[in-house]
Amino acid sequence: MKCLLFCLLLPCLFFQHKQYYTIGEVLKNARQLTHDSVTVRIRGYITGKVNRSTYLFEDRTAEIKVDIPDKFLPSKPFNDKDEVIIEALVQYEINKPVTLMANRPVVND
């Protein structure tokens, strides 16, 4: 019985579905995502640079500021037409805009 259960659960371990959030979902659920220390994965476009390491990121639902340290930027050049995937922690404080802090390298899609 244990062997059967193990065989049924084995594919789940190797083929975990990595959930993508939209920026709209991140903004709506920011308080909960911050408390759970969830790394969110979002797809979209880096549309501008605010300062040294802060960028504007948007998808079809909204726009948000993302802090991306230089070590996490892609080595391959990209522009605002190239879709990228960002994995980041949600930074939420009352009466301040929600932002993201990249905690893994940005991937060109």
Side-chain angles (χ1 to χ4, degrees):
M1 184 66 169
K2 289 180 184 178
C3 184
L4 178 62
L5 183 60
F6 179 73
C7 291
L8 291 174
L9 294 176
L10 188 60
C12 295
L13 297 174
F14 289 107
F15 301 109
Q16 293 178 353
H17 175 62
K18 294 189 176 185
Q19 179 182 1
Y20 288 94
Y21 288 86
T22 64
I23 297 171
E25 291 172 331
V26 170
L27 295 173
K28 181 180 176 184
N29 301 309
R31 180 182 231 169
Q32 181 64 38
L33 293 170
T34 300
H35 290 323
D36 292 345
S37 297
V38 174
T39 295
V40 295
R41 293 177 55 130
I42 53 177
R43 287 180 188 241
Y45 305 91
I46 295 176
T47 58
K49 188 170 185 174
V50 177
N51 60 33
R52 186 172 176 269
S53 65
T54 304
Y55 298 85
L56 291 176
F57 184 82
E58 69 179 51
D59 65 7
R60 58 182 162 65
T61 62
E63 182 178 73
I64 195 168
K65 289 182 182 176
V66 182
D67 187 32
I68 307 172
D70 290 340
K71 67 181 179 180
F72 292 144
L73 287 172
S75 57
K76 184 173 110 179
F78 65 95
N79 60 35
D80 62 347
K81 306 287 188 237
D82 297 328
E83 186 175 56
V84 296
I85 298 170
I86 295 178
E87 295 186 45
L89 295 171
V90 179
Q91 297 181 321
Y92 169 81
E93 292 182 42
I94 296 175
N95 298 326
K96 291 188 178 181
V98 176
T99 60
L100 298 175
M101 169 67 86
N103 62 353
R104 294 198 177 95
V106 175
V107 179
N108 288 29
D109 198 24

